[in-house]
Amino acid sequence: VILGKTNVPAALADWQTANPIHGRTAHPHDPSCTPGGSSGGGAAALAAGLVALELGSDLMGSLRVPAHFCGVWAHKPSAGILPLRGQAFPGTPDTVGPPPDLPTVIGPLARNADDLLLALDVLAGPDMPMAQAWRLDLPPPRAADPACWQVLVLDGHPLAAAAAEVRGAVDEAARRLQAQGARIVRAPELPPGSLPDLAALHQAYRQWVMTVLGAFEPGASCDVSAHQWIHMGAERGRLRAQCFALMARFDAVLCPAFGCAAFPHDDEPDWTKRVLRIDGQDTPYDAQGAWASLASLASLPATVAPVMQGADGLPLGVQVIGPWLHDRGTVEVARRIAGCA
């Protein structure tokens, strides 16, 4: 039963939800704050009890950030397992056949793990004409017992700040898994070279996104040569291989979905002039995309689940990243975290 279309920012291009047609969407717990974006309208409707399920897309955290802000669940699936047909912007080619070389995915927002899995089961699978030749059979979690899990905690990033209370929510998620027997490893404990270069990864992902999106924006200057495009693809492949090697060792990575809780509405149209106040320090607004890059560049599944409330009463979540195609695994890890609240 489709109830309607919820609000998004113009061109889906913001971590807050306001546009010149439908206006501003307010956070359901604090109208002075944003519910996030780009699926901020959906997350707000879900958190307010207006709907039981929502759908959105995710390129730079558009599902994950609103879920973290509003205290609901979201799942960014492994790239390629949910058909993108019908999601394209006007004037751009819709997807028919194999997925294009784009990092966008679509996925569900829900109020619990069971609803996420239900939506995933309904939505995932090959689109025509691929459905003539293959089917999708996602594997179960690697192990049913958390005592068999090895989980990496990544609560710092060289390019993006994270508030103490956000890091506290990630630490609380790790504590709950450890109480169930999971082995917790923190990023500083890793041998040198075993963690991908997070700064290089985010820069490569941002360049990829800006190049692809800029190709369809009137007047945008985003031209790259064929050789540059090939070298960009090679760099993505190198970084993706490092991410895959990391996920061969770990069942999940716990990290922030965004560096702070829901922030006050900001009417400044120029992203380069916006700042976020995090633990008393002004930080660049657009740097927060770094928290989305790890899962997005490597096509990995990522589930966001609520963990606790911050000092101002606003929700704080955790992002659970897993190996490619182990979507059921990230949802199960998130379920174990939320189930021990």
Side-chain angles (χ1 to χ4, degrees), residues 129-158:
M130 292 181 291
Q132 301 174 83
W134 65 276
R135 64 186 178 87
L136 180 70
D137 186 12
L138 294 174
R142 284 178 173 174
D145 186 354
C148 299
W149 295 348
Q150 183 158 257
V151 177
L152 176 65
V153 175
L154 182 62
D155 62 358
H157 196 287

Side-chain angles (χ1 to χ4, degrees), residues 10-340:
L12 310 179
D14 206 343
W15 292 307
Q16 55 183 3
T17 296
N19 67 57
I21 298 174
H22 300 295
R24 171 187 286 169
T25 299
H27 195 288
H29 301 305
D30 184 346
S32 70
C33 291
T34 179
S38 63
S39 294
L46 193 64
L50 303 179
V51 295
L53 187 71
E54 256 287 356
L55 301 175
S57 60
D58 195 304
L59 178 70
M60 193 75 80
S62 285
L63 286 166
R64 290 167 280 174
V65 174
H68 162 66
F69 281 2
C70 292
V72 297
W73 295 62
H75 183 69
K76 184 206 85 68
S78 299
I81 71 170
L82 268 70
L84 288 170
R85 182 164 46 92
Q87 193 271 342
F89 286 110
T92 63
D94 209 347
T95 299
V96 178
D101 187 22
L102 291 172
T104 302
V105 297
I106 62 170
L109 289 146
R111 290 188 297 218
N112 55 57
D114 288 341
D115 286 354
L116 275 189
L117 289 174
L118 176 63
L120 189 65
D121 287 341
V122 170
L123 296 167
D127 197 8
M128 291 297 293
M130 292 181 291
Q132 301 174 83
W134 65 276
R135 64 186 178 87
L136 180 70
D137 186 12
L138 294 174
R142 284 178 173 174
D145 186 354
C148 299
W149 295 348
Q150 183 158 257
V151 177
L152 176 65
V153 175
L154 182 62
D155 62 358
H157 196 287
L159 299 181
E165 64 178 13
V166 170
R167 299 194 307 273
V170 174
D171 190 63
E172 172 62 16
R175 185 196 65 77
R176 294 176 188 176
L177 291 177
Q178 190 171 39
Q180 298 172 69
R183 179 170 180 244
I184 302 299
V185 178
R186 300 184 182 275
E189 301 170 7
L190 293 175
S194 57
L195 186 69
D197 183 332
L198 297 178
L201 189 150
H202 176 58
Q203 290 162 352
Y205 182 63
R206 188 178 186 279
Q207 182 184 30
W208 181 21
V209 170
M210 294 300 103
T211 301
V212 172
L213 293 184
F216 297 102
E217 293 180 4
S221 176
C222 62
D223 291 341
V224 297
S225 69
H227 286 178
Q228 288 174 313
W229 181 253
I230 290 171
H231 284 297
M232 287 167 58
E235 175 67 357
R236 292 197 306 272
R238 182 185 70 83
L239 291 164
R240 182 174 290 164
Q242 293 178 0
C243 294
F244 274 51
L246 182 73
M247 299 316 303
R249 175 178 175 184
F250 292 100
D251 298 285
V253 174
L254 304 185
C255 64
F258 201 81
C260 61
F263 55 85
H265 301 287
D266 189 337
D267 294 327
E268 170 56 59
D270 187 347
W271 273 41
T272 63
K273 296 179 180 179
R274 290 188 196 168
V275 294
L276 286 172
R277 192 79 172 167
I278 296 180
D279 287 351
Q281 300 292 322
D282 288 342
T283 67
Y285 183 79
D286 63 355
Q288 288 298 316
W291 294 115
S293 296
L294 177 61
S296 292
L297 180 137
S299 304
L300 304 177
T303 303
V304 170
V307 177
M308 56 193 288
Q309 291 182 335
D312 55 5
L314 291 173
L316 297 169
V318 65
Q319 179 177 193
V320 181
I321 302 172
W324 187 52
L325 299 180
H326 282 264
D327 294 65
R328 300 189 192 282
T330 63
V331 176
E332 181 59 24
V333 173
R335 182 206 302 275
R336 292 285 187 161
I337 292 169
C340 289

